[in-house]
Amino acid sequence: MKKNSSLASVKNLTLLALMTALVAVFQLIAAFIPLGFNVGAFALIPIVIGAAMLGPWAGAWLGLVFGLVILLTGGATPFFVMGVVQTTFVVLLKGAAAGFVSGLLYRLIEKKNKLVAIIVAAIACPVVNTAIFVLACFTIFFPGISEWASGAGKDMIAYVFLTLVGVNFFIELGICTVISPVAHRLVAIGQKMRHDKSYL
């Protein structure tokens, strides 16, 4: 029994390491290689898959990695003028929360229908990520965002949703939803690897 438990832990760590690497690679590509579309949205896919395979806390870890790469590659630099600590907190929180909620929803729904569970989890990931960002814009970052909106000659609400969020959210939501059937298959393979003794 102890040997089986140890083997399961190794498999879980291996899968988590693989998902972590994919999150980091996709986000790094988005940061340094302008391919003309939102590559960063693909970083949400391994978060969803990892959260579904390994649970909410694994999803939270993958979301943290996602946020950390954003911070290290300068993706949140414009917000640092409003507070480095606040910006770091929001970026890490929204990523971790997105991964955790995705994993939690998958766990709650999978026993009824695993395909529906992965679709819901995939939709939840960008929704939670964006929702926390928007909430932060109207609370923590309100003074700074208000100045940006005024300088751009726009209403605060319009500036947040049309300029800061824009089409990026819909691209993320679309990609996550469209790839859900593929994610469903990958989750099934990953779960088989975790429980099948023929796999390392």
Side-chain angles (χ1 to χ4, degrees):
M1 180 67 73
K2 188 174 182 180
K3 183 179 179 181
N4 289 340
S5 177
S6 178
L7 184 59
S9 296
V10 171
K11 290 178 180 179
N12 289 345
L13 287 174
T14 301
L15 288 169
L16 184 60
L18 175 61
M19 293 299 107
T20 299
L22 288 175
V23 169
V25 168
F26 280 132
Q27 194 56 45
L28 285 170
I29 291 173
F32 296 114
I33 304 176
L35 297 178
F37 60 96
N38 190 0
V39 180
F42 286 96
L44 298 180
I45 299 301
I47 294 176
V48 172
I49 294 173
M53 284 194 298
L54 302 167
W57 290 110
W61 162 254
L62 294 171
L64 274 176
V65 172
F66 172 68
L68 184 60
V69 175
I70 289 174
L71 290 169
L72 292 176
T73 55
T77 300
F79 288 85
F80 283 168
V81 296
M82 294 179 242
V84 174
V85 174
Q86 295 92 322
T87 299
T88 300
F89 172 75
V90 170
V91 171
L92 294 179
L93 174 66
K94 69 188 185 70
F100 183 84
V101 172
S102 293
L104 184 61
L105 289 174
Y106 184 85
R107 284 288 183 269
L108 292 173
I109 302 172
E110 67 169 327
K111 290 181 180 179
K112 295 182 179 179
N113 189 307
K114 290 188 175 182
L115 178 57
V116 172
I118 197 67
I119 292 173
V120 171
I123 291 173
C125 195
V127 168
V128 172
N129 184 57
T130 302
I132 292 177
F133 171 71
V134 170
L135 181 61
C137 286
F138 287 101
T139 54
I140 297 173
F141 301 137
F142 182 83
I145 299 295
S146 181
E147 286 186 18
W148 288 359
S150 179
K154 293 183 179 179
D155 173 77
M156 175 78 171
I157 296 176
Y159 185 79
V160 170
F161 286 99
L162 299 180
T163 302
L164 297 182
V165 175
V167 298
N168 183 66
F169 166 71
F170 295 101
I171 293 174
E172 291 178 351
L173 184 62
I175 288 175
C176 287
T177 304
V178 169
I179 297 182
S180 290
V182 177
H184 172 61
R185 179 59 182 159
L186 291 175
V187 169
I189 293 172
Q191 290 177 336
K192 182 178 181 182
M193 288 177 64
R194 292 176 62 203
H195 299 104
D196 193 334
K197 294 181 180 180
S198 64
Y199 289 94
L200 175 63

